[in-house]
Amino acid sequence: MRGGRVGSREDEDEWFRFVSAGVRLRHLGNCNLRLETFDSAISYVGSLPNGSFDFVIVDCHEPQLGGRLRCVEAAVEKVRRGGWLVLDDSDRLAYRYLPAVISTWPVRRFVGFRPRPLVAVETSIFRRPN
């Protein structure tokens, strides 16, 4: 990875073990991967300074309705100007209610197929304006 620092907060034990066992991650000194509860991860992101991320990916297990929306709400002000926020499965009806601020960001949408079940899904990439 070419990032200065890479951080990931995972709330699923099985996925955490899979990702942390990855050969490439073991050799990186810049990767901070932690297993936390969903609410703890949201609190952690909320505690960081605004504008502290160049790139955020929101692709989490949703332990409760609106989980990804809570992630976006926590992260949106943390993305620096000119930075990126990626929302996986952005075609879900609940994501029509994204925070108003992100609705002003330029967005690119990509559609592809998920293997299980075989359905078309969308990923949206938002860029925070300078």
Side-chain angles (χ1 to χ4, degrees), residues 51-57 75-86 102 104-108 124-130:
S52 57
F53 292 118
D54 293 319
F55 191 80
V56 172
I57 300 173
V76 72
E77 291 300 324
K78 308 308 175 181
V79 177
R80 71 165 175 80
R81 295 195 177 281
W84 305 87
L85 187 143
V86 176
I102 203 167
T104 64
W105 296 13
V107 61
R108 295 198 63 193
S124 294
I125 302 176
F126 298 88
R127 183 156 194 218
R128 185 172 187 162
N130 288 321

PDB file of all heavy atoms in Angstrom, residues 51-57 75-86 102 104-108 124-130:
ATOM      1  N   GLY A  51     -11.336  16.678   8.520  1.00  0.00           N
ATOM      2  CA  GLY A  51     -10.367  16.761   7.433  1.00  0.00           C
ATOM      3  C   GLY A  51      -9.166  15.853   7.587  1.00  0.00           C
ATOM      4  O   GLY A  51      -8.140  16.058   6.950  1.00  0.00           O
ATOM      5  N   SER A  52      -9.270  14.805   8.406  1.00  0.00           N
ATOM      6  CA  SER A  52      -8.097  13.961   8.677  1.00  0.00           C
ATOM      7  C   SER A  52      -7.957  12.760   7.739  1.00  0.00           C
ATOM      8  O   SER A  52      -6.972  12.045   7.815  1.00  0.00           O
ATOM      9  CB  SER A  52      -8.103  13.488  10.135  1.00  0.00           C
ATOM     10  OG  SER A  52      -9.279  12.795  10.448  1.00  0.00           O
ATOM     11  N   PHE A  53      -8.926  12.527   6.842  1.00  0.00           N
ATOM     12  CA  PHE A  53      -8.857  11.394   5.920  1.00  0.00           C
ATOM     13  C   PHE A  53      -8.754  11.865   4.479  1.00  0.00           C
ATOM     14  O   PHE A  53      -9.453  12.777   4.058  1.00  0.00           O
ATOM     15  CB  PHE A  53     -10.107  10.509   6.010  1.00  0.00           C
ATOM     16  CG  PHE A  53     -10.263   9.763   7.293  1.00  0.00           C
ATOM     17  CD1 PHE A  53     -11.360   9.997   8.103  1.00  0.00           C
ATOM     18  CD2 PHE A  53      -9.342   8.819   7.686  1.00  0.00           C
ATOM     19  CE1 PHE A  53     -11.529   9.307   9.284  1.00  0.00           C
ATOM     20  CE2 PHE A  53      -9.502   8.117   8.868  1.00  0.00           C
ATOM     21  CZ  PHE A  53     -10.599   8.368   9.664  1.00  0.00           C
ATOM     22  N   ASP A  54      -7.904  11.187   3.708  1.00  0.00           N
ATOM     23  CA  ASP A  54      -7.856  11.391   2.267  1.00  0.00           C
ATOM     24  C   ASP A  54      -8.887  10.510   1.575  1.00  0.00           C
ATOM     25  O   ASP A  54      -9.409  10.862   0.521  1.00  0.00           O
ATOM     26  CB  ASP A  54      -6.470  11.028   1.707  1.00  0.00           C
ATOM     27  CG  ASP A  54      -5.399  11.969   2.193  1.00  0.00           C
ATOM     28  OD1 ASP A  54      -5.661  13.178   2.254  1.00  0.00           O
ATOM     29  OD2 ASP A  54      -4.297  11.490   2.510  1.00  0.00           O
ATOM     30  N   PHE A  55      -9.167   9.361   2.176  1.00  0.00           N
ATOM     31  CA  PHE A  55      -9.979   8.342   1.514  1.00  0.00           C
ATOM     32  C   PHE A  55     -10.700   7.529   2.579  1.00  0.00           C
ATOM     33  O   PHE A  55     -10.066   7.040   3.516  1.00  0.00           O
ATOM     34  CB  PHE A  55      -9.031   7.449   0.705  1.00  0.00           C
ATOM     35  CG  PHE A  55      -9.703   6.504  -0.231  1.00  0.00           C
ATOM     36  CD1 PHE A  55     -10.157   6.942  -1.463  1.00  0.00           C
ATOM     37  CD2 PHE A  55      -9.858   5.168   0.101  1.00  0.00           C
ATOM     38  CE1 PHE A  55     -10.762   6.059  -2.354  1.00  0.00           C
ATOM     39  CE2 PHE A  55     -10.457   4.285  -0.778  1.00  0.00           C
ATOM     40  CZ  PHE A  55     -10.911   4.731  -2.014  1.00  0.00           C
ATOM     41  N   VAL A  56     -12.003   7.393   2.462  1.00  0.00           N
ATOM     42  CA  VAL A  56     -12.799   6.608   3.404  1.00  0.00           C
ATOM     43  C   VAL A  56     -13.656   5.627   2.604  1.00  0.00           C
ATOM     44  O   VAL A  56     -14.269   6.008   1.605  1.00  0.00           O
ATOM     45  CB  VAL A  56     -13.728   7.509   4.244  1.00  0.00           C
ATOM     46  CG1 VAL A  56     -14.686   6.684   5.077  1.00  0.00           C
ATOM     47  CG2 VAL A  56     -12.927   8.446   5.130  1.00  0.00           C
ATOM     48  N   ILE A  57     -13.688   4.382   3.044  1.00  0.00           N
ATOM     49  CA  ILE A  57     -14.572   3.381   2.452  1.00  0.00           C
ATOM     50  C   ILE A  57     -15.589   2.976   3.509  1.00  0.00           C
ATOM     51  O   ILE A  57     -15.209   2.581   4.616  1.00  0.00           O
ATOM     52  CB  ILE A  57     -13.798   2.130   1.978  1.00  0.00           C
ATOM     53  CG1 ILE A  57     -12.764   2.504   0.934  1.00  0.00           C
ATOM     54  CG2 ILE A  57     -14.776   1.078   1.454  1.00  0.00           C
ATOM     55  CD1 ILE A  57     -11.859   1.355   0.534  1.00  0.00           C
ATOM     56  N   ALA A  75     -18.208   9.990   9.233  1.00  0.00           N
ATOM     57  CA  ALA A  75     -17.001  10.180   8.421  1.00  0.00           C
ATOM     58  C   ALA A  75     -17.024  11.406   7.526  1.00  0.00           C
ATOM     59  O   ALA A  75     -15.969  11.915   7.152  1.00  0.00           O
ATOM     60  CB  ALA A  75     -16.767   8.944   7.559  1.00  0.00           C
ATOM     61  N   VAL A  76     -18.193  11.910   7.178  1.00  0.00           N
ATOM     62  CA  VAL A  76     -18.285  12.921   6.129  1.00  0.00           C
ATOM     63  C   VAL A  76     -17.451  14.172   6.430  1.00  0.00           C
ATOM     64  O   VAL A  76     -16.765  14.693   5.547  1.00  0.00           O
ATOM     65  CB  VAL A  76     -19.770  13.257   5.813  1.00  0.00           C
ATOM     66  CG1 VAL A  76     -20.420  14.053   6.913  1.00  0.00           C
ATOM     67  CG2 VAL A  76     -19.883  13.946   4.477  1.00  0.00           C
ATOM     68  N   GLU A  77     -17.453  14.661   7.632  1.00  0.00           N
ATOM     69  CA  GLU A  77     -16.664  15.851   7.968  1.00  0.00           C
ATOM     70  C   GLU A  77     -15.182  15.514   8.180  1.00  0.00           C
ATOM     71  O   GLU A  77     -14.346  16.413   8.242  1.00  0.00           O
ATOM     72  CB  GLU A  77     -17.218  16.548   9.207  1.00  0.00           C
ATOM     73  CG  GLU A  77     -18.566  17.195   8.968  1.00  0.00           C
ATOM     74  CD  GLU A  77     -18.520  18.269   7.878  1.00  0.00           C
ATOM     75  OE1 GLU A  77     -17.513  18.999   7.770  1.00  0.00           O
ATOM     76  OE2 GLU A  77     -19.502  18.358   7.115  1.00  0.00           O
ATOM     77  N   LYS A  78     -14.875  14.243   8.273  1.00  0.00           N
ATOM     78  CA  LYS A  78     -13.484  13.817   8.484  1.00  0.00           C
ATOM     79  C   LYS A  78     -12.711  13.729   7.177  1.00  0.00           C
ATOM     80  O   LYS A  78     -11.494  13.647   7.165  1.00  0.00           O
ATOM     81  CB  LYS A  78     -13.436  12.462   9.195  1.00  0.00           C
ATOM     82  CG  LYS A  78     -14.266  12.382  10.466  1.00  0.00           C
ATOM     83  CD  LYS A  78     -13.986  13.495  11.428  1.00  0.00           C
ATOM     84  CE  LYS A  78     -14.926  13.436  12.614  1.00  0.00           C
ATOM     85  NZ  LYS A  78     -14.690  14.512  13.545  1.00  0.00           N
ATOM     86  N   VAL A  79     -13.439  13.739   6.037  1.00  0.00           N
ATOM     87  CA  VAL A  79     -12.808  13.680   4.719  1.00  0.00           C
ATOM     88  C   VAL A  79     -12.275  15.069   4.382  1.00  0.00           C
ATOM     89  O   VAL A  79     -12.995  16.054   4.443  1.00  0.00           O
ATOM     90  CB  VAL A  79     -13.814  13.222   3.644  1.00  0.00           C
ATOM     91  CG1 VAL A  79     -13.186  13.232   2.264  1.00  0.00           C
ATOM     92  CG2 VAL A  79     -14.354  11.829   3.984  1.00  0.00           C
ATOM     93  N   ARG A  80     -11.002  15.136   4.031  1.00  0.00           N
ATOM     94  CA  ARG A  80     -10.385  16.430   3.695  1.00  0.00           C
ATOM     95  C   ARG A  80     -10.960  16.963   2.396  1.00  0.00           C
ATOM     96  O   ARG A  80     -11.520  16.211   1.601  1.00  0.00           O
ATOM     97  CB  ARG A  80      -8.875  16.282   3.574  1.00  0.00           C
ATOM     98  CG  ARG A  80      -8.438  15.518   2.341  1.00  0.00           C
ATOM     99  CD  ARG A  80      -6.963  15.672   2.021  1.00  0.00           C
ATOM    100  NE  ARG A  80      -6.576  14.836   0.912  1.00  0.00           N
ATOM    101  CZ  ARG A  80      -6.777  15.138  -0.372  1.00  0.00           C
ATOM    102  NH1 ARG A  80      -7.360  16.254  -0.706  1.00  0.00           N
ATOM    103  NH2 ARG A  80      -6.392  14.310  -1.319  1.00  0.00           N
ATOM    104  N   ARG A  81     -10.791  18.243   2.155  1.00  0.00           N
ATOM    105  CA  ARG A  81     -11.214  18.838   0.885  1.00  0.00           C
ATOM    106  C   ARG A  81     -10.430  18.171  -0.244  1.00  0.00           C
ATOM    107  O   ARG A  81      -9.233  17.990  -0.153  1.00  0.00           O
ATOM    108  CB  ARG A  81     -10.980  20.331   0.890  1.00  0.00           C
ATOM    109  CG  ARG A  81     -11.837  21.030   1.920  1.00  0.00           C
ATOM    110  CD  ARG A  81     -11.878  22.537   1.690  1.00  0.00           C
ATOM    111  NE  ARG A  81     -12.763  23.177   2.641  1.00  0.00           N
ATOM    112  CZ  ARG A  81     -14.090  23.201   2.544  1.00  0.00           C
ATOM    113  NH1 ARG A  81     -14.676  22.617   1.533  1.00  0.00           N
ATOM    114  NH2 ARG A  81     -14.821  23.797   3.443  1.00  0.00           N
ATOM    115  N   GLY A  82     -11.126  17.754  -1.287  1.00  0.00           N
ATOM    116  CA  GLY A  82     -10.503  17.024  -2.385  1.00  0.00           C
ATOM    117  C   GLY A  82     -10.390  15.538  -2.115  1.00  0.00           C
ATOM    118  O   GLY A  82      -9.944  14.782  -2.974  1.00  0.00           O
ATOM    119  N   GLY A  83     -10.792  15.089  -0.919  1.00  0.00           N
ATOM    120  CA  GLY A  83     -10.728  13.670  -0.556  1.00  0.00           C
ATOM    121  C   GLY A  83     -11.942  12.901  -1.064  1.00  0.00           C
ATOM    122  O   GLY A  83     -12.868  13.466  -1.658  1.00  0.00           O
ATOM    123  N   TRP A  84     -11.927  11.613  -0.831  1.00  0.00           N
ATOM    124  CA  TRP A  84     -12.915  10.702  -1.395  1.00  0.00           C
ATOM    125  C   TRP A  84     -13.649   9.921  -0.309  1.00  0.00           C
ATOM    126  O   TRP A  84     -13.046   9.530   0.693  1.00  0.00           O
ATOM    127  CB  TRP A  84     -12.230   9.701  -2.310  1.00  0.00           C
ATOM    128  CG  TRP A  84     -11.415  10.348  -3.384  1.00  0.00           C
ATOM    129  CD1 TRP A  84     -10.115  10.746  -3.284  1.00  0.00           C
ATOM    130  CD2 TRP A  84     -11.830  10.697  -4.684  1.00  0.00           C
ATOM    131  NE1 TRP A  84      -9.709  11.303  -4.468  1.00  0.00           N
ATOM    132  CE2 TRP A  84     -10.737  11.286  -5.347  1.00  0.00           C
ATOM    133  CE3 TRP A  84     -13.024  10.556  -5.374  1.00  0.00           C
ATOM    134  CZ2 TRP A  84     -10.813  11.739  -6.653  1.00  0.00           C
ATOM    135  CZ3 TRP A  84     -13.094  10.996  -6.673  1.00  0.00           C
ATOM    136  CH2 TRP A  84     -11.989  11.587  -7.293  1.00  0.00           C
ATOM    137  N   LEU A  85     -14.938   9.657  -0.541  1.00  0.00           N
ATOM    138  CA  LEU A  85     -15.719   8.781   0.311  1.00  0.00           C
ATOM    139  C   LEU A  85     -16.418   7.770  -0.600  1.00  0.00           C
ATOM    140  O   LEU A  85     -17.121   8.160  -1.532  1.00  0.00           O
ATOM    141  CB  LEU A  85     -16.760   9.559   1.123  1.00  0.00           C
ATOM    142  CG  LEU A  85     -17.500   8.714   2.164  1.00  0.00           C
ATOM    143  CD1 LEU A  85     -17.747   9.537   3.426  1.00  0.00           C
ATOM    144  CD2 LEU A  85     -18.791   8.142   1.641  1.00  0.00           C
ATOM    145  N   VAL A  86     -16.177   6.492  -0.340  1.00  0.00           N
ATOM    146  CA  VAL A  86     -16.752   5.405  -1.133  1.00  0.00           C
ATOM    147  C   VAL A  86     -17.852   4.742  -0.310  1.00  0.00           C
ATOM    148  O   VAL A  86     -17.621   4.351   0.838  1.00  0.00           O
ATOM    149  CB  VAL A  86     -15.675   4.357  -1.506  1.00  0.00           C
ATOM    150  CG1 VAL A  86     -16.300   3.192  -2.251  1.00  0.00           C
ATOM    151  CG2 VAL A  86     -14.558   5.000  -2.306  1.00  0.00           C
ATOM    152  N   ILE A 102     -23.322  15.761   1.762  1.00  0.00           N
ATOM    153  CA  ILE A 102     -22.718  14.904   0.736  1.00  0.00           C
ATOM    154  C   ILE A 102     -23.498  14.970  -0.580  1.00  0.00           C
ATOM    155  O   ILE A 102     -22.958  14.665  -1.637  1.00  0.00           O
ATOM    156  CB  ILE A 102     -22.551  13.454   1.246  1.00  0.00           C
ATOM    157  CG1 ILE A 102     -21.452  12.755   0.456  1.00  0.00           C
ATOM    158  CG2 ILE A 102     -23.853  12.698   1.178  1.00  0.00           C
ATOM    159  CD1 ILE A 102     -20.992  11.464   1.056  1.00  0.00           C
ATOM    160  N   THR A 104     -24.104  17.491  -2.180  1.00  0.00           N
ATOM    161  CA  THR A 104     -23.492  18.538  -3.011  1.00  0.00           C
ATOM    162  C   THR A 104     -22.155  18.090  -3.591  1.00  0.00           C
ATOM    163  O   THR A 104     -21.574  18.810  -4.393  1.00  0.00           O
ATOM    164  CB  THR A 104     -23.268  19.819  -2.189  1.00  0.00           C
ATOM    165  OG1 THR A 104     -22.324  19.549  -1.147  1.00  0.00           O
ATOM    166  CG2 THR A 104     -24.579  20.322  -1.599  1.00  0.00           C
ATOM    167  N   TRP A 105     -21.662  16.923  -3.195  1.00  0.00           N
ATOM    168  CA  TRP A 105     -20.376  16.431  -3.677  1.00  0.00           C
ATOM    169  C   TRP A 105     -20.545  15.770  -5.041  1.00  0.00           C
ATOM    170  O   TRP A 105     -21.519  15.041  -5.255  1.00  0.00           O
ATOM    171  CB  TRP A 105     -19.790  15.413  -2.711  1.00  0.00           C
ATOM    172  CG  TRP A 105     -19.438  15.918  -1.341  1.00  0.00           C
ATOM    173  CD1 TRP A 105     -19.791  17.111  -0.778  1.00  0.00           C
ATOM    174  CD2 TRP A 105     -18.684  15.225  -0.363  1.00  0.00           C
ATOM    175  NE1 TRP A 105     -19.300  17.189   0.495  1.00  0.00           N
ATOM    176  CE2 TRP A 105     -18.605  16.048   0.785  1.00  0.00           C
ATOM    177  CE3 TRP A 105     -18.058  13.985  -0.336  1.00  0.00           C
ATOM    178  CZ2 TRP A 105     -17.937  15.674   1.931  1.00  0.00           C
ATOM    179  CZ3 TRP A 105     -17.387  13.604   0.818  1.00  0.00           C
ATOM    180  CH2 TRP A 105     -17.313  14.444   1.928  1.00  0.00           C
ATOM    181  N   PRO A 106     -19.598  15.970  -5.958  1.00  0.00           N
ATOM    182  CA  PRO A 106     -19.644  15.208  -7.217  1.00  0.00           C
ATOM    183  C   PRO A 106     -19.561  13.709  -6.912  1.00  0.00           C
ATOM    184  O   PRO A 106     -18.864  13.295  -5.987  1.00  0.00           O
ATOM    185  CB  PRO A 106     -18.390  15.667  -7.962  1.00  0.00           C
ATOM    186  CG  PRO A 106     -18.026  16.972  -7.342  1.00  0.00           C
ATOM    187  CD  PRO A 106     -18.473  16.898  -5.910  1.00  0.00           C
ATOM    188  N   VAL A 107     -20.286  12.927  -7.701  1.00  0.00           N
ATOM    189  CA  VAL A 107     -20.337  11.485  -7.443  1.00  0.00           C
ATOM    190  C   VAL A 107     -20.215  10.717  -8.752  1.00  0.00           C
ATOM    191  O   VAL A 107     -20.677  11.160  -9.790  1.00  0.00           O
ATOM    192  CB  VAL A 107     -21.648  11.105  -6.704  1.00  0.00           C
ATOM    193  CG1 VAL A 107     -22.867  11.445  -7.538  1.00  0.00           C
ATOM    194  CG2 VAL A 107     -21.660   9.643  -6.302  1.00  0.00           C
ATOM    195  N   ARG A 108     -19.543   9.575  -8.665  1.00  0.00           N
ATOM    196  CA  ARG A 108     -19.482   8.617  -9.780  1.00  0.00           C
ATOM    197  C   ARG A 108     -20.060   7.317  -9.256  1.00  0.00           C
ATOM    198  O   ARG A 108     -19.712   6.876  -8.165  1.00  0.00           O
ATOM    199  CB  ARG A 108     -18.043   8.408 -10.243  1.00  0.00           C
ATOM    200  CG  ARG A 108     -17.494   9.702 -10.835  1.00  0.00           C
ATOM    201  CD  ARG A 108     -16.298   9.516 -11.672  1.00  0.00           C
ATOM    202  NE  ARG A 108     -16.593   8.688 -12.833  1.00  0.00           N
ATOM    203  CZ  ARG A 108     -15.655   8.159 -13.596  1.00  0.00           C
ATOM    204  NH1 ARG A 108     -14.378   8.377 -13.331  1.00  0.00           N
ATOM    205  NH2 ARG A 108     -15.957   7.420 -14.628  1.00  0.00           N
ATOM    206  N   SER A 124     -20.858   3.901  -4.984  1.00  0.00           N
ATOM    207  CA  SER A 124     -20.743   5.321  -5.320  1.00  0.00           C
ATOM    208  C   SER A 124     -19.471   5.890  -4.711  1.00  0.00           C
ATOM    209  O   SER A 124     -19.125   5.588  -3.563  1.00  0.00           O
ATOM    210  CB  SER A 124     -21.943   6.101  -4.785  1.00  0.00           C
ATOM    211  OG  SER A 124     -23.119   5.688  -5.442  1.00  0.00           O
ATOM    212  N   ILE A 125     -18.791   6.722  -5.495  1.00  0.00           N
ATOM    213  CA  ILE A 125     -17.579   7.381  -5.031  1.00  0.00           C
ATOM    214  C   ILE A 125     -17.834   8.890  -5.052  1.00  0.00           C
ATOM    215  O   ILE A 125     -18.064   9.477  -6.110  1.00  0.00           O
ATOM    216  CB  ILE A 125     -16.366   7.025  -5.920  1.00  0.00           C
ATOM    217  CG1 ILE A 125     -16.172   5.510  -5.920  1.00  0.00           C
ATOM    218  CG2 ILE A 125     -15.125   7.751  -5.417  1.00  0.00           C
ATOM    219  CD1 ILE A 125     -15.062   5.045  -6.843  1.00  0.00           C
ATOM    220  N   PHE A 126     -17.815   9.476  -3.870  1.00  0.00           N
ATOM    221  CA  PHE A 126     -18.062  10.905  -3.699  1.00  0.00           C
ATOM    222  C   PHE A 126     -16.735  11.626  -3.517  1.00  0.00           C
ATOM    223  O   PHE A 126     -15.853  11.127  -2.816  1.00  0.00           O
ATOM    224  CB  PHE A 126     -18.917  11.155  -2.448  1.00  0.00           C
ATOM    225  CG  PHE A 126     -20.274  10.541  -2.505  1.00  0.00           C
ATOM    226  CD1 PHE A 126     -20.487   9.241  -2.070  1.00  0.00           C
ATOM    227  CD2 PHE A 126     -21.352  11.263  -2.982  1.00  0.00           C
ATOM    228  CE1 PHE A 126     -21.750   8.669  -2.108  1.00  0.00           C
ATOM    229  CE2 PHE A 126     -22.617  10.703  -3.032  1.00  0.00           C
ATOM    230  CZ  PHE A 126     -22.819   9.412  -2.584  1.00  0.00           C
ATOM    231  N   ARG A 127     -16.601  12.797  -4.114  1.00  0.00           N
ATOM    232  CA  ARG A 127     -15.387  13.604  -3.937  1.00  0.00           C
ATOM    233  C   ARG A 127     -15.762  14.909  -3.263  1.00  0.00           C
ATOM    234  O   ARG A 127     -16.602  15.666  -3.768  1.00  0.00           O
ATOM    235  CB  ARG A 127     -14.706  13.900  -5.259  1.00  0.00           C
ATOM    236  CG  ARG A 127     -13.422  14.676  -5.020  1.00  0.00           C
ATOM    237  CD  ARG A 127     -12.463  14.505  -6.133  1.00  0.00           C
ATOM    238  NE  ARG A 127     -11.158  14.980  -5.695  1.00  0.00           N
ATOM    239  CZ  ARG A 127     -10.347  15.633  -6.484  1.00  0.00           C
ATOM    240  NH1 ARG A 127     -10.664  15.858  -7.743  1.00  0.00           N
ATOM    241  NH2 ARG A 127      -9.187  16.021  -6.037  1.00  0.00           N
ATOM    242  N   ARG A 128     -15.136  15.156  -2.126  1.00  0.00           N
ATOM    243  CA  ARG A 128     -15.419  16.405  -1.411  1.00  0.00           C
ATOM    244  C   ARG A 128     -14.848  17.586  -2.203  1.00  0.00           C
ATOM    245  O   ARG A 128     -13.671  17.578  -2.565  1.00  0.00           O
ATOM    246  CB  ARG A 128     -14.820  16.373  -0.017  1.00  0.00           C
ATOM    247  CG  ARG A 128     -15.205  17.599   0.766  1.00  0.00           C
ATOM    248  CD  ARG A 128     -14.804  17.508   2.188  1.00  0.00           C
ATOM    249  NE  ARG A 128     -15.374  18.650   2.877  1.00  0.00           N
ATOM    250  CZ  ARG A 128     -15.508  18.720   4.169  1.00  0.00           C
ATOM    251  NH1 ARG A 128     -15.119  17.724   4.921  1.00  0.00           N
ATOM    252  NH2 ARG A 128     -16.027  19.783   4.717  1.00  0.00           N
ATOM    253  N   PRO A 129     -15.663  18.587  -2.471  1.00  0.00           N
ATOM    254  CA  PRO A 129     -15.159  19.727  -3.246  1.00  0.00           C
ATOM    255  C   PRO A 129     -14.022  20.450  -2.532  1.00  0.00           C
ATOM    256  O   PRO A 129     -13.943  20.457  -1.309  1.00  0.00           O
ATOM    257  CB  PRO A 129     -16.386  20.645  -3.354  1.00  0.00           C
ATOM    258  CG  PRO A 129     -17.561  19.780  -3.059  1.00  0.00           C
ATOM    259  CD  PRO A 129     -17.067  18.713  -2.137  1.00  0.00           C
ATOM    260  N   ASN A 130     -13.145  21.042  -3.344  1.00  0.00           N
ATOM    261  CA  ASN A 130     -12.058  21.863  -2.775  1.00  0.00           C
ATOM    262  C   ASN A 130     -12.655  23.120  -2.209  1.00  0.00           C
ATOM    263  O   ASN A 130     -12.297  23.715  -1.334  1.00  0.00           O
ATOM    264  CB  ASN A 130     -11.007  22.192  -3.819  1.00  0.00           C
ATOM    265  CG  ASN A 130     -10.181  20.981  -4.184  1.00  0.00           C
ATOM    266  OD1 ASN A 130      -9.845  20.171  -3.342  1.00  0.00           O
ATOM    267  ND2 ASN A 130      -9.863  20.850  -5.447  1.00  0.00           N
TER     268      ASN A 130
END
